[in-house]
Amino acid sequence: MHRADALSAVFYGEFMTIDRLLMVIFLLIAFANISDVIADYHMQVATWHLAIEGITVVISIAAFIVLWKRVLGRNRELQQVKDALTRHQQRERDSAENQESIVKVDGDEDGSPASYTAVKSWFKQWKLSPSEQEVAVLLIKGLSFNEIAEVRNTKEKTVRQQASSVYAKSGLSGRNNLSAWLIETLLD
């Protein structure tokens, strides 16, 4: 792997997210400042200097904790989306096996609401692949390309290409128009 590829992987999610990288940096700053405060204390450096370095340690540790909570929360959210996607995929497989899809007034036979059935029919009209349909749903839910890639266990570049394909096939120009289209469809 080239150096640029390795840096891009670090910053764009293959190995760690930017939040995780910042956590490591803040932790290193805190440890470096703690050792500096100890050394300065033994050298009897001015109290104001020790106080400033102590504040830097506290800020670094606080930033680490905030980012740590953010990463944990994001991981929980991503796990919920992964679970929902797994349930959706299972429901799709089950409905494909049971080709008896009698549409009821309040939705599909498989329990999907009528609004979801309407969206699925539009996806079929646009001739979206199952992967493109998943990406479209996750885009509408507001996930970033990186989060969608993580949820679907693919690369961000693949998600970007699938999103572009969704926009091209649907005739919509982007995520905002896709969300607006959904709202308009549901209101009709």
Side-chain angles (χ1 to χ4, degrees):
M1 180 181 285
H2 296 338
R3 183 172 180 222
D5 293 338
L7 286 175
S8 139
V10 167
F11 285 105
Y12 296 110
E14 280 186 41
F15 298 121
M16 67 171 54
T17 64
I18 193 75
D19 287 344
R20 290 183 181 124
L21 180 64
L22 287 172
M23 283 173 52
V24 170
I25 290 170
F26 282 124
L27 209 52
L28 290 173
I29 290 171
F31 285 132
N33 278 326
I34 288 171
S35 65
D36 191 38
V37 166
I38 292 170
D40 287 350
Y41 178 76
H42 290 299
M43 293 173 31
Q44 297 179 349
V45 174
T47 307
W48 66 267
H49 180 80
L50 292 173
I52 290 174
E53 287 184 348
I55 290 170
T56 305
V57 169
V58 170
I59 290 172
S60 299
I61 291 172
F64 170 81
I65 291 170
V66 167
L67 287 171
W68 180 55
K69 287 183 176 183
R70 181 177 163 172
V71 166
L72 289 177
R74 230 27 187 156
N75 286 344
R76 276 192 300 274
E77 289 174 12
L78 284 174
Q79 188 58 48
Q80 290 171 349
V81 171
K82 281 181 183 180
D83 294 343
L85 182 60
T86 302
R87 286 191 305 272
H88 169 74
Q89 289 170 333
Q90 184 60 44
R91 190 172 64 212
E92 288 293 315
R93 281 192 293 274
D94 291 346
S95 72
E97 290 172 5
N98 305 330
Q99 283 297 334
E100 305 167 355
S101 55
I102 302 171
V103 178
K104 298 179 181 177
V105 175
D106 61 344
D108 268 355
E109 184 179 88
D110 65 357
S112 300
S115 56
Y116 181 71
T117 305
V119 171
K120 272 179 37 178
S121 71
W122 276 100
F123 286 171
K124 286 181 183 175
Q125 281 183 341
W126 293 341
K127 297 181 178 149
L128 298 182
S129 70
S131 295
E132 291 167 345
Q133 290 180 30
E134 288 175 4
V135 168
V137 168
L138 295 172
L139 284 169
I140 289 168
K141 287 185 174 190
L143 273 69
S144 69
F145 291 133
N146 188 31
E147 292 167 335
I148 294 171
E150 201 169 318
V151 166
R152 298 189 67 243
N153 295 322
T154 61
K155 295 187 183 236
E156 184 178 349
K157 184 177 180 180
T158 303
V159 172
R160 287 183 184 278
Q161 290 169 340
Q162 289 170 328
S164 293
S165 180
V166 167
Y167 303 143
K169 289 179 179 181
S170 66
L172 300 169
S173 62
R175 180 189 306 244
N176 293 338
N177 286 347
L178 182 63
S179 296
W181 164 84
L182 175 69
I183 291 169
E184 189 175 308
T185 301
L186 296 178
L187 292 176
D188 285 345

